[in-house]
Amino acid sequence: QVQLVESGGGLVQAGGSLRLSCAASGRTLSSYSMGWFRQAPGQEREFVAAIRWSDSWTYHADSVKGRFTISRDNAKNTVYLQMNTLKPEDTAVYYCAARGGYLSVYDRLYEYWGQGTQVTVSS
């Protein structure tokens, strides 16, 4: 079992920044990949970014590339999503997820999920 707890969401103006955190517990994450997904009202959940814990190899969705950065802190067992130059269309509930093995852009392949944190970007 892996428990995930997100934090760091909030209300920010367009052009601003936020950093989301996802604290993991329950297992050593060396063989896991971690992902961030988001879901806006009335829309399907979409992939944002993912990181392979073992070597910090990352992948970002085109919609956030150059603005968002996923990273991890091994000592704190925490994954971060640094979000810069936020846009109103980034407004969503952001979820952290974990899966054993290679990272994936498909939410159905992730085994563990956090409760989500709301990010609202005003224009």
Side-chain angles (χ1 to χ4, degrees), residues 44-92:
E44 293 186 353
R45 188 160 52 191
E46 67 169 344
F47 171 79
V48 176
I51 186 168
R52 189 164 61 198
W53 196 271
S54 59
D55 60 4
S56 293
W57 190 83
T58 63
Y59 184 75
H60 297 76
D62 287 344
S63 59
V64 305
K65 203 169 292 183
R67 300 189 299 122
F68 292 10
T69 303
I70 189 171
S71 63
R72 64 118 167 103
D73 185 325
N74 194 41
K76 296 182 178 180
N77 240 29
T78 298
V79 174
Y80 302 100
L81 185 68
Q82 178 65 44
M83 305 186 295
N84 299 327
T85 319
L86 282 160
K87 304 175 181 179
E89 51 263 44
D90 294 318
T91 295

